[in-house]
Amino acid sequence: MLQGKAGLLLFDSSSLRRRFEKGLQELEVLLHVSEKPESFLKALKKDNYHFVMIAGALALAENCKLIDQIRSLPKQGIVPILAIGDRSDSDHFRQVIEAGADRFLDQTIEIAALKLEILSVLRRSQSFHAESERMDFGEVKISREKQEVWVLDSKVHVTAVEFKILLELLTKRGEVISRESLSQRYLSLRNSSDRTLDVHINALRRKLGKLGENLTTVRGRGYLFRLS
């Protein structure tokens, strides 16, 4: 379960901090809480964490910049990121996911549901660690152990969810993978929707650059990665 797992939390809202900090401590999660992005990043560079959480009233641009900085860290670039905010703000939701967050959860989420979300991202982030071989898909190369992606020999930063979706599409390239299959395997049923999967797919297309054109939508069926 979550007992003994280490989480790094950034809260610039005292009310959110009190609620989430108390609830996670009751689950026996080891917490380090920061109130400013600078101290948050300093802690992340110094120590290892199983997951990070960003919540509060940070401006959208600051949130996205912070997530990008986390993904750029060589030591913690694949750590699961949970962003907490107002899910009714569709623009904020989309941009935070595209910036690299693995989950965007509503700030009213109950602690029991938050526990399941953390367990979910932890299981998925660890599921490929035992498979260390580097996979070569021509212009795209993938390290399962490090969850890293290179396109035309340039490293591309992807989220844990995007990595797993891309790996399945590449492994089964030329084959249509249904939306239902991708959603059930890689998205939280509690907080996912058709739009959530679309955000991840569109982010992958953008990050793959010219090769993103190979990630094709098959209307009414799902997605495939076309053979070059």
Side-chain angles (χ1 to χ4, degrees), residues 136-154:
D136 190 336
F137 298 99
E139 294 173 310
V140 181
K141 295 176 175 60
I142 286 181
S143 168
R144 288 188 171 189
E145 181 179 18
K146 297 181 179 180
Q147 292 195 4
E148 294 178 341
V149 176
W150 292 265
V151 177
L152 300 174
D153 296 324
S154 295

Side-chain angles (χ1 to χ4, degrees), residues 114-146:
L114 178 60
K115 173 186 175 182
L116 295 177
E117 291 290 344
I118 295 173
L119 283 171
S120 177
V121 295
L122 287 179
R123 288 190 185 116
R124 288 167 183 155
S125 70
Q126 295 165 4
S127 63
F128 293 104
H129 287 183
E131 305 175 64
S132 59
E133 70 273 17
R134 183 165 170 172
M135 304 180 71
D136 190 336
F137 298 99
E139 294 173 310
V140 181
K141 295 176 175 60
I142 286 181
S143 168
R144 288 188 171 189
E145 181 179 18
K146 297 181 179 180

